[in-house]
Amino acid sequence: MNNVHTTLTAFAAAIAERDMAGAETLCSEDAWNADHGDNPQRLFRKASDERRGFSLSIGDITQGEGAGRAAATVTLMKGDKSIGCITLLGAGAPWRITGVCKDGAWRDAYLRDQVPALLTYESLPVYGPAGDAVVAVCALSRRAASGVGQADEMLAELMNEDHEGAVVIARLHFLVSQGYQVRVRDARWLPGLGRAVVKAERVKDGQSEDLWIHAEVGPPLRWRGFEELLRVGAIAAV
């Protein structure tokens, strides 16, 4: 714990002194140079901004599993006023900051050594069955919309399995019935959580929008959610 507190105190001091080089040495290279998410370099730049900056007040530290993982609650202070809280994640010896987190479920999964500090979708292992399942549901929806065979009964049976699955299948069926084409672009999974995420897009009249479809890996595959922006909280939610 002392190792963690020492690093965090030094990081807070580097922000106060606008010492970017010093702050960088307290973070893992991957986290500092990440071009996505709430990485520590982004936190440093925002906190050390002369006009809008803030200081960090270190709170509770929770030890995790594996490679010295730990998470610390940090209060963002503007003068003597709190403007919010975040969690700094880290690992190693000496302890280094590996990510900035705003979601409790992701923090807990990180402490259990189930997920990385920062999510890079493209770095996750491919999980083809989840993508294939989305394609199958959309094909069944097209058949049901056309009155082919018993497709509508099969679709209704799938929707009766559980509430979360019904919501995902109903959303896909609605898109298909409204003339959208749902294209699966990728499917990945987090082995530590047993969760899969399908990256897809809905296309109509030359316009496309991203879709992210969550599932528990199988067999059998179980749908968990449907969103337009990928959020770590949706992946790690119990």
Side-chain angles (χ1 to χ4, degrees):
M1 290 291 192
N2 288 337
N3 182 30
V4 177
H5 196 273
T6 297
T7 297
L8 294 170
T9 301
F11 187 73
I15 287 174
E17 297 163 8
R18 299 188 179 91
D19 178 10
M20 179 176 281
E24 182 177 0
T25 65
L26 301 166
C27 305
S28 70
E29 182 178 354
D30 288 346
W32 184 263
N33 293 318
D35 59 0
H36 65 284
D38 293 312
N39 61 63
Q41 182 177 167
R42 182 182 178 190
L43 173 62
F44 173 86
R45 291 181 181 277
K46 290 170 65 177
S48 62
D49 184 278
E50 292 187 18
R51 296 167 298 173
R52 299 175 297 171
F54 46 83
S55 61
L56 306 187
S57 176
I58 312 304
D60 293 339
I61 298 171
T62 305
Q63 203 72 41
E65 302 173 15
R69 289 192 175 208
T73 301
V74 175
T75 303
L76 311 180
M77 304 293 298
K78 187 79 171 180
D80 59 357
K81 180 181 179 181
S82 169
I83 58 173
C85 287
I86 57 172
T87 301
L88 291 182
L89 307 176
W95 194 83
R96 291 294 177 259
I97 298 168
T98 56
V100 181
C101 179
K102 297 177 182 176
D103 183 86
W106 192 264
R107 174 204 62 211
D108 294 345
Y110 176 79
L111 290 173
R112 294 192 297 266
D113 201 10
Q114 295 175 311
V115 299
L118 288 174
L119 176 67
T120 305
Y121 182 77
E122 290 74 14
S123 70
L124 299 177
V126 172
Y127 190 75
D132 294 342
V134 171
V135 172
V137 169
C138 291
L140 188 60
S141 291
R142 284 193 296 272
R143 292 175 60 196
S146 301
V148 176
Q150 296 179 314
D152 54 346
E153 295 177 11
M154 295 170 64
L155 199 63
E157 186 176 336
L158 287 175
M159 292 177 66
N160 284 332
E161 290 182 358
D162 61 67
H163 175 71
E164 292 173 324
V167 170
V168 172
I169 294 170
R171 289 283 301 274
L172 289 172
H173 180 58
F174 174 79
L175 291 175
V176 171
S177 67
Q178 293 300 306
Y180 286 92
Q181 181 180 6
V182 178
R183 297 176 181 169
V184 171
R185 297 165 60 187
D186 204 347
R188 308 269 172 163
W189 75 307
L190 287 88
L193 285 179
R195 303 282 171 77
V197 183
V198 179
K199 182 179 183 180
E201 61 181 354
R202 61 182 185 186
V203 182
K204 186 178 181 181
D205 300 329
Q207 302 294 318
S208 67
E209 293 180 309
D210 287 342
L211 303 173
W212 301 91
I213 304 164
H214 302 271
E216 289 183 9
V217 302
L221 192 78
R222 189 169 80 85
W223 301 116
R224 291 184 52 87
F226 192 114
E227 58 183 355
E228 276 127 26
L229 292 173
L230 181 62
R231 298 177 300 110
V232 295
I235 300 173
V238 176

